[in-house]
């Protein structure tokens, strides 16, 4: 589990992993509705992370705990 | 736009790396690339933020340099203790040219060096008592300081001193903030982690101290983040922002104060210049206080105009109008500068190798003068910096990350730029090779380079460097005669 931050970028959502100073844009998010938001995040660098679905946050950026599914960075 | 094709650039990289042993070659290949503007993710073509290879010359700094030298050091009304042996602080003292106003030694302390000067006995028995005593002495000798930061050097982490508890006690005793910063030099691969640690220390010890206190504010409050006022840069920036009708509440951290930092959470917009060293705190403020941040670039008129419009878009029409009026007001001045220098500088080629933001930020300014940047690289960037750089550079130009002394020299020899923009460590090597060099860290004792006023100085400085007659006289007279004889004979 790692702390991550999701932010509204100019072109869509961006993903930020402070521990490793890693910034990437989010290509797809599994659930994206007002009640259920989150799930698997696919990053443009090939990696993917999982966040527990929550109600869509009213304001971004938001810090969350995420599980790493596929490691692509490095 | 570039003069080299992708194949040529790649061949050049391969050729230069030829002398390395296989393992080193494999590692270094990842850090060198021919720019590919079509790539969105820099990591596909260049690796960054990795440990430097043992045995090569790198010019990176340490985490302490990133924290004390870059982020904390310029906060002028605080005293920053270089906690540990005397060298780390003394050899970097006042080297960065962060200008400030104030009476040094009375109410500002920017160029002074405070150190606990560790001796053997402090390493053996621990330095906590010494630190406590040092803070007491500071309080007596410099009563007008507004706070103290304890910048750890390597030994502090190695011997496990508890600077946090000393700081807490001392802070209660002197009733001023005393901030322990765990920026020991061995942390991380470069100064970059030091920036991060310093940002985190600001977040934990400074930023929330005035939460809940109301200050008078206007809808036009902004903070300048990541401008270290090198040669007066932040001042040149501030002038423009104020002409746009904005109120600059804080300068981080060039010519900045701790009170400004504490007031920053009340601004409407954070203007982020050096993304690398202060994106951390900007992200934090965006999340916690809902203050958006905006990356901008104040080098050269093209980028200034672009940035000012982007900033103005955040505000109401009065700001937008004032911005347009300001742009129109400065345009003739810019046209005159370009008219004067462009014919002299047109087509000249530059190679850059600098730190956090300049390898990409100054490209626009060079292009405004008709010059071309044919190679650029960072000492300590991360992949997100290269993401942003790829778009600024021409296709197939050379990118180098954490370049070694040998590689940079070879690249310069082959590419033959008219000028190199880098630091003091490179300056005399290249000048002796006959290539003018401008220091792009400290502006070579000149500056400011930000803003409209800065561009005038920038253009003049580049012209001075390139037109310097010295470089035509590198061959001593007796050898010149020979060369002419040979020509005649031929
Ligand atoms: S690496 Fe350690 S000893 Fe060297 S300058 Fe940095 S803090 Fe000082």
């Amino acid at each position: 589990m790692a702390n991550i931050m999701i932010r509204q970028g100019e072109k869509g959502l961006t993903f930020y992993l402070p521990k490793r100073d890693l910034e990437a844009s989010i290509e797809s998010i599994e659930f994206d509705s007002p009640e259920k938001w989150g799930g698997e995040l696919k990053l443009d660098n090939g990696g993917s992370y999982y966040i527990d679905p929550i109600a869509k946050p009213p304001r971004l950026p938001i810090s969350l705990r995420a599980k790493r599914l596929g490691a692509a960075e490095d | 736009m570039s003069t080299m094709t992708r194949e040529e650039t790649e061949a050049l990289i391969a050729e230069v790396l030829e002398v390395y042993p296989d393992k080193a070659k494999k590692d270094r290949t990842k850090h060198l690339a021919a720019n590919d503007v079509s790539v969105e993710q820099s990591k596909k073509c260049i690796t960054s933020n990795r440990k430097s290879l043992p045995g090569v010359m790198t010019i990176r700094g340490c985490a302490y340099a990133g924290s004390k030298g870059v982020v904390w050091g310029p906060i002028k009304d605080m005293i920053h203790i270089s906690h540990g042996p005397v060298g780390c602080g003394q050899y970097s003292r006042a080297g960065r040219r962060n200008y400030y106003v104030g009476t040094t030694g009375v109410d500002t302390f920017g160029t002074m060096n405070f150190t606990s000067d560790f001796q053997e006995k402090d390493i053996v028995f621990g330095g906590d008592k010494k630190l406590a005593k040092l803070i007491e002495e500071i309080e007596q000798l410099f009563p007008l300081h507004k706070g103290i930061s304890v910048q750890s050097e390597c030994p502090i982490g190695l011997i496990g001193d508890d600077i946090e508890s000393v700081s807490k006690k001392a802070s209660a005793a002197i009733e001023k903030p005393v901030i322990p910063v765990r920026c020991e030099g061995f942390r991380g691969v470069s100064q970059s982690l030091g920036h991060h640690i310093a940002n985190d220390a600001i977040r934990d010890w400074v930023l929330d101290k005035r939460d809940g206190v109301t200050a008078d504010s206007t809808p036009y409050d902004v903070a300048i983040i990541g401008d270290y006022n090198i040669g007066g840069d932040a001042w040149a920036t501030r002038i423009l922002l104020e002409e746009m009708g904005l109120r600059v509440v804080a300068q981080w951290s060039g010519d900045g104060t701790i009170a400004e930092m504490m007031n920053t959470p009340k601004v409407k917009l954070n203007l982020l210049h050096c993304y690398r060293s202060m994106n951390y705190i900007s992200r934090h403020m965006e999340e916690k206080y809902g203050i958006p941040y905006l990356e901008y670039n104040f080098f050269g008129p093209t980028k200034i105009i672009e940035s000012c419009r982007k900033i103005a878009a955040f505000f109401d029409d009065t700001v937008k109008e004032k911005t347009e009026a300001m742009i129109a007001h400065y345009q003739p001045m810019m046209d005159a500068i370009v008219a004067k220098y462009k014919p002299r500088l047109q087509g000249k080629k530059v190679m850059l190798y600098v730190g956090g933001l300049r390898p990409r930020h100054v490209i626009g300014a060079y292009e405004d003068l008709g010059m071309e940047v044919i190679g650029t690289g960072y000492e300590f960037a991360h992949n997100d910096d290269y993401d942003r750089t790829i778009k600024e550079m021409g296709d197939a130009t050379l990118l180098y990350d954490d370049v070694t002394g040998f590689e940079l020299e070879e690249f310069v020899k082959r590419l033959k730029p008219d000028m190199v923009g880098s630091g003091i460590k490179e300056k005399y090597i290249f000048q002796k090779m006959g290539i003018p060099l401008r220091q792009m860290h400290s502006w070579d004792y000149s500056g400011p380079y930000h803003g409209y006023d800065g561009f005038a100085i920038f253009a003049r400085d580049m012209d001075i460097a390139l037109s310097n007659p010295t470089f035509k006289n590198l061959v001593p007279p007796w050898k010149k005669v020979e060369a002419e004889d040979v020509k005649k004979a031929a």
Side-chain angles (χ1 to χ4, degrees):
Chain A
M1 292 291 256
N3 278 319
I4 60 140
M5 188 188 268
I6 295 176
R7 156 168 209 270
Q8 187 64 50
E10 269 166 41
K11 285 184 218 125
L13 296 176
T14 59
F15 171 95
Y16 177 65
L17 179 62
K19 181 107 184 90
R20 301 180 47 206
D21 277 341
L22 181 105
E23 195 187 49
S25 25
I26 296 177
E27 282 190 334
S28 73
I29 179 163
E30 197 178 347
F31 307 111
D32 193 9
S33 61
E35 320 75 64
K36 200 175 181 201
W37 183 87
E40 191 182 345
L41 307 172
K42 283 213 169 58
L43 308 182
D44 68 340
N45 64 7
S48 57
Y49 282 79
Y50 178 84
I51 52 172
D52 285 330
I54 49 167
K56 191 168 189 158
R59 196 184 83 187
L60 291 174
I62 182 170
S63 286
L64 296 162
R65 303 279 290 167
K67 234 196 340 255
R68 186 157 88 178
L69 297 176
E73 56 276 1
D74 284 307
Chain B
M1 216 177 102
S2 167
T3 40
M4 293 227 295
T5 65
R6 172 166 309 281
E7 289 70 39
E8 280 170 338
T9 311
E10 272 159 12
L12 170 72
I13 294 172
E15 231 174 276
V16 169
L17 291 182
E18 207 45 56
V19 297
Y20 285 144
D22 281 343
K23 212 172 144 219
K25 198 196 288 174
K26 201 172 141 226
D27 182 90
R28 287 303 307 161
T29 315
K30 295 188 211 144
H31 293 264
L32 305 169
N35 190 25
D36 184 348
V37 281
S38 65
V39 173
E40 281 292 334
Q41 269 272 320
S42 60
K43 126 174 204 303
K44 297 208 174 87
C45 70
I46 196 161
T47 308
S48 54
N49 198 29
R50 289 286 178 279
K51 197 178 158 320
S52 305
L53 211 56
V56 300
M57 280 265 270
T58 170
I59 54 166
R60 283 176 162 174
C62 65
Y64 160 84
S67 176
K68 156 72 171 52
V70 176
V71 177
W72 282 97
I75 306 171
K76 61 179 177 178
D77 60 352
M78 290 180 76
I79 286 177
H80 310 285
I81 300 172
S82 298
H83 190 36
V86 65
C88 314
Q90 181 57 18
Y91 291 110
S92 60
R93 184 181 73 89
R96 238 177 140 249
R97 305 186 66 241
N98 319 98
Y99 283 6
Y100 58 89
V101 279
T103 312
T104 304
V106 179
D107 57 358
T108 47
F109 309 92
T111 49
M112 295 173 77
N113 178 30
F114 293 84
T115 175
S116 44
D117 185 20
F118 261 40
Q119 304 295 317
E120 240 171 275
K121 79 172 197 313
D122 303 311
I123 302 285
V124 177
F125 297 109
D128 285 345
K129 285 212 185 80
K130 198 171 196 182
L131 178 62
K133 185 150 179 274
L134 171 60
I135 295 176
E136 229 173 80
E137 277 176 22
I138 286 179
E139 182 61 18
Q140 265 176 17
L141 289 171
F142 304 99
L144 293 184
H145 76 91
K146 295 280 162 47
I148 292 172
S149 77
V150 181
Q151 309 281 336
S152 323
E153 294 165 8
C154 287
I156 308 306
L158 296 173
I159 63 176
D161 270 11
D162 190 0
I163 56 168
E164 283 82 5
S165 90
V166 177
S167 302
K168 235 184 221 145
K169 262 193 223 139
S171 174
I174 65 173
E175 294 173 344
K176 284 174 193 172
V178 178
I179 298 151
V181 189
R182 283 281 176 190
C183 56
E184 288 89 348
F186 54 74
R187 292 184 200 274
V189 297
S190 65
Q191 53 267 64
S192 182
L193 190 67
H195 305 144
H196 198 158
I197 294 169
N199 276 234
D200 288 354
I202 294 176
R203 178 194 68 198
D204 296 340
W205 298 83
V206 180
L207 209 60
D208 55 0
K209 292 292 171 278
R210 289 195 188 168
D211 284 5
V213 182
T214 42
D216 70 320
S217 73
T218 70
Y220 305 111
D221 288 0
V222 295
I224 301 176
I225 310 266
D227 191 324
Y228 299 104
N229 206 25
I230 312 290
D233 278 344
W235 296 331
T237 301
R238 197 182 173 115
I239 292 174
L240 299 193
L241 296 176
E242 283 172 357
E243 277 181 40
M244 284 167 64
L246 303 175
R247 190 172 83 141
V248 179
V249 172
Q251 278 173 225
W252 292 54
S253 52
D255 195 31
T257 62
I258 186 165
E260 288 175 26
M261 293 192 141
M262 288 176 178
N263 280 333
T264 307
K266 311 211 161 53
V267 302
K268 300 291 175 293
L269 179 66
N270 277 326
L271 300 173
L272 181 57
H273 206 245
C274 180
Y275 170 83
R276 181 72 273 132
S277 61
M278 284 205 176
N279 75 75
Y280 317 101
I281 199 75
S282 310
R283 288 177 198 276
H284 172 73
M285 282 195 261
E286 186 175 38
E287 184 177 16
K288 182 162 180 202
Y289 301 99
I291 306 168
Y293 67 84
L294 186 96
E295 290 169 50
Y296 71 108
N297 177 355
F298 267 9
F299 288 104
T302 313
K303 291 288 172 189
I304 295 174
I305 293 172
E306 209 182 287
S307 298
C308 285
R309 292 206 170 118
K310 218 161 89 185
I311 295 167
F314 264 84
F315 296 93
D316 59 17
D317 287 343
T318 52
V319 174
K320 286 184 193 125
E321 277 156 29
K322 277 189 192 158
T323 305
E324 290 308 321
M326 176 192 82
I327 293 171
H329 171 76
Y330 283 106
Q331 199 53 45
M333 180 180 146
M334 288 301 108
D335 292 342
I337 290 165
V338 172
K340 179 166 174 198
Y341 292 107
K342 199 167 179 176
R344 300 170 63 93
L345 301 175
Q346 182 90 35
K348 298 273 193 238
K349 296 192 178 60
V350 191
M351 277 173 79
L352 299 170
Y353 181 56
V354 216
L357 79 159
R358 289 158 188 165
R360 68 169 175 274
H361 268 39
V362 298
I363 295 172
Y366 279 113
E367 284 173 354
D368 283 335
L369 292 172
M371 298 167 77
E372 191 189 342
V373 180
I374 55 168
T376 195
Y378 299 81
E379 286 171 29
F380 51 80
H382 298 208
N383 68 326
D384 37 2
D385 293 295
Y386 285 102
D387 288 347
R388 291 163 170 78
T389 313
I390 287 173
K391 303 287 164 225
E392 304 276 338
M393 288 289 284
D395 207 28
T397 47
L398 192 58
L399 296 177
Y400 27 86
D401 176 67
D402 184 25
V403 76
T404 68
F406 165 76
E407 288 161 19
L408 189 58
E409 268 176 54
E410 286 303 308
F411 287 146
V412 168
K413 274 184 209 155
R414 309 290 173 97
L415 291 179
K416 300 198 176 59
D418 297 287
M419 166 187 230
V420 179
S422 195
I424 188 71
K425 299 187 209 83
E426 292 78 28
K427 184 170 172 103
Y428 298 100
I429 297 169
F430 291 122
Q431 295 206 339
K432 284 174 187 172
M433 280 164 60
I435 299 165
L437 187 144
R438 286 296 302 187
Q439 288 182 56
M440 298 307 281
H441 291 277
S442 67
W443 305 149
D444 240 333
Y445 323 107
S446 176
Y449 283 178
H450 290 180
Y452 286 118
D453 296 322
F455 182 66
I457 299 165
F458 174 81
R460 183 204 63 188
D461 284 356
M462 295 308 132
D463 183 39
I464 287 177
L466 279 166
S467 317
N468 188 337
T470 315
F471 293 102
K472 293 191 196 81
N473 293 311
L474 284 176
V475 185
W478 60 93
K479 288 209 173 137
K480 228 183 231 161
V481 175
E482 260 171 43
E484 266 163 33
D485 285 347
V486 173
K487 231 191 254 159
K488 254 183 231 154

